[in-house]
Every structure is written in structure tokens, then in C-alpha cells.
Amino acid sequence: MLALEPLQGLRVVADPAALDRVSWRGDLDVTVLRLAPDEALAIGARSVEIDDAHAIVEEEAGFVGVWLTAEEFEASVLPRIEWPLPEERPTVAQGSIAGVPSKLWLRTTGGALLVTQAAYADELAGRLR
């Protein structure tokens, strides 16, 4: 069973051009998932510098996730996706995985970060056994 862990970071809603130029700061590497043109989830971010006076910046703790190697992704997740994955890497893909709303950060190495809302953690982990 996959061990989905809490993901801490910042969620930012802002002008898309401002998000393109944002500067993230965190304790470790920051992984930025662009969820929409005007929204980003920055896992591991502790602060942000953004040139948008109307930007909304909030701490986000409502997601869980697990980093998967290419082999783990292909064995556990890929067979349970019923929608086409984007060819471009790295990128964010969103959809139902094993019937649970999820997000994927698809890495150039073939690995991925599997993300879902904390409320779905047990359901997703159970379905991916």
C-alpha cells in the first residue's frame, strides 16, 4: 500500500503573468504544481515574492502525496488511469485515478508525485493496493 504523507506548502492565486515570475523560498526543494493559469500549489514553500497586489497567498495543508519512481508509477498508478497523460514533461496532470480525484506531477525521469486531497487519502491508498 502506498504511504501518502501530508504535503505542506503555499497555495497562491494571482495574475498568471505574476505567477510566471514568482520567487519561492522553502527549507528544501520547492515543487510547484500549476493547477490553473492563475493558481499554483508550491509544496515545500515557506514564503513567496510575487508582484501582484491582489494575490491570495495561503498556507496549504489539505493535500497528501507520495513520490513514485518510474517503476512504482508504471506498476501502481498507470494501470488505474483511464485518461490520456500529457506527453510533455515535467507537467501537472489532473483527473480520476482509481476513481479518486488526483493530481500528478510527472517528472522527466518517468517518476511522479501522486497528490490527492487529505480527505481522499485512505480511499486512494486502498484502491492502489
Side-chain angles (χ1 to χ4, degrees):
M1 185 153 85
L2 296 177
L4 297 163
E5 300 291 331
L7 299 173
Q8 304 293 319
L10 297 175
R11 184 184 290 234
V12 178
V13 178
D15 179 78
L19 275 176
D20 290 341
R21 299 183 307 269
V22 72
S23 176
W24 305 100
R25 290 192 178 75
D27 295 337
L28 302 171
D29 290 331
V30 175
T31 301
V32 179
L33 308 180
R34 194 75 172 255
L35 304 178
D38 64 346
E39 181 179 9
L41 172 62
I43 299 164
R46 302 283 180 238
S47 65
V48 61
E49 287 183 28
I50 188 163
D51 183 26
D52 180 350
H54 303 289
I56 300 168
V57 178
E58 294 293 334
E59 288 185 18
E60 177 63 72
F63 288 96
V64 295
V66 61
W67 286 101
L68 303 166
T69 65
E71 295 78 19
E72 291 168 329
F73 175 71
E74 289 175 15
S76 299
V77 177
L78 192 57
R80 291 167 179 88
I81 297 174
E82 297 180 8
W83 39 275
L85 290 176
E87 297 288 327
E88 181 183 324
R89 304 283 194 281
T91 193
V92 174
Q94 304 180 73
S96 179
I97 298 174
V100 178
S102 304
K103 301 171 188 334
L104 290 169
W105 171 246
L106 299 168
R107 302 170 80 178
T108 55
T109 60
L113 171 62
L114 172 62
V115 177
T116 194
Q117 292 177 344
Y120 297 127
D122 291 340
E123 187 69 25
L124 181 60
R127 291 184 184 192
L128 292 179
R129 277 191 264 194

